[in-house]
């Protein structure tokens, strides 16, 4: 397993040891949402919620390995189902290159997962190309 979270009953807030104050009452729904998601056990987060947090660079260190495991399973099952994780894939491949440099095994895992897919959405293909270019020396 890629994830170092043994107990997925903990929230990002608990895992990081940082409690955010409640958002202001006049804030956006996105801000309210990510504040609430940080308090939920990571094992209860949906794919959409995970991509929302990763896309906002929240809890990436903890969530990225879980997201990669999910993407690998989805890629393996694509032969019998429809690929439904473009949003999660997009959130993952658009993370900063420095994150991949700290965990090059995650970059290689993601690249292998992408290669398992028979085709990519034209919307996510440029992001995948940019990811591969940014981490070419790690692959």
């Amino acid at each position: 397993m890629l994830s170092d979270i043994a107990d997925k009953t903990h929230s990002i807030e608990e895992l990081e040891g940082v409690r955010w104050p409640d958002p202001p009452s006049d804030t956006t729904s996105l801000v309210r949402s990510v504040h609430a998601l940080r308090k939920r056990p990571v094992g209860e987060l949906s794919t959409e919620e995970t991509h929302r947090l990763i896309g906002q660079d929240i809890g990436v260190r903890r969530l990225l390995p879980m997201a990669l495991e999910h993407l690998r399973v989805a890629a393996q099952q694509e032969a019998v189902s429809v690929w439904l994780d473009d949003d999660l894939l997009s959130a993952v491949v658009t993370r900063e290159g420095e994150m991949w440099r700290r965990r090059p095994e995650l970059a290689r895992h993601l690249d292998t997962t992408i290669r398992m897919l028979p085709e990519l959405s034209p919307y996510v293909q440029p992001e995948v190309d940019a990811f591969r270019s940014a981490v070419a020396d790690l692959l």
Side-chain angles (χ1 to χ4, degrees):
M1 283 186 88
L2 297 173
S3 178
D4 62 353
I5 302 174
D7 184 354
K8 294 182 181 176
T9 63
H10 294 291
S11 66
I12 292 296
E13 188 173 88
E14 293 167 327
L15 292 167
E16 292 181 344
V18 177
R19 185 176 188 282
W20 288 3
D22 290 336
S25 59
D26 63 345
T27 195
T28 66
S29 61
L30 176 62
V31 171
R32 284 191 304 275
S33 171
V34 297
H35 273 256
L37 292 174
R38 284 188 82 251
K39 298 175 186 297
R40 297 234 342 256
V42 295
E44 294 179 11
L45 295 173
S46 70
T47 301
E48 180 181 324
E49 292 164 338
T50 301
H51 98 69
R52 182 175 303 144
L53 288 169
I54 291 173
Q56 295 298 313
D57 285 320
I58 296 170
V60 173
R61 188 174 135 248
R62 304 295 184 155
L63 295 175
L64 190 63
M66 291 174 46
L68 293 179
E69 289 170 357
H70 174 80
L71 289 169
R72 175 65 60 92
V73 169
Q76 291 169 335
Q77 294 175 347
E78 184 177 338
V80 294
S81 66
V82 178
W83 177 256
L84 299 173
D85 294 279
D86 278 354
D87 290 337
L88 181 59
L89 180 59
S90 176
V92 167
V93 298
T94 57
R95 293 310 91 210
E96 289 184 11
E98 182 57 34
M99 196 287 312
W100 301 112
R101 299 207 174 289
R102 287 191 305 269
R103 300 278 311 268
E105 74 280 7
L106 298 182
R108 289 188 291 274
H109 187 275
L110 177 56
D111 185 62
T112 300
T113 298
I114 292 168
R115 291 181 190 283
M116 294 169 68
L117 301 170
E119 64 182 295
L120 290 171
S121 155
Y123 302 105
V124 77
Q125 184 68 58
E127 296 169 338
V128 168
D129 293 343
F131 160 76
R132 285 186 169 142
S133 177
V135 298
D137 61 319
L138 303 176
L139 305 176

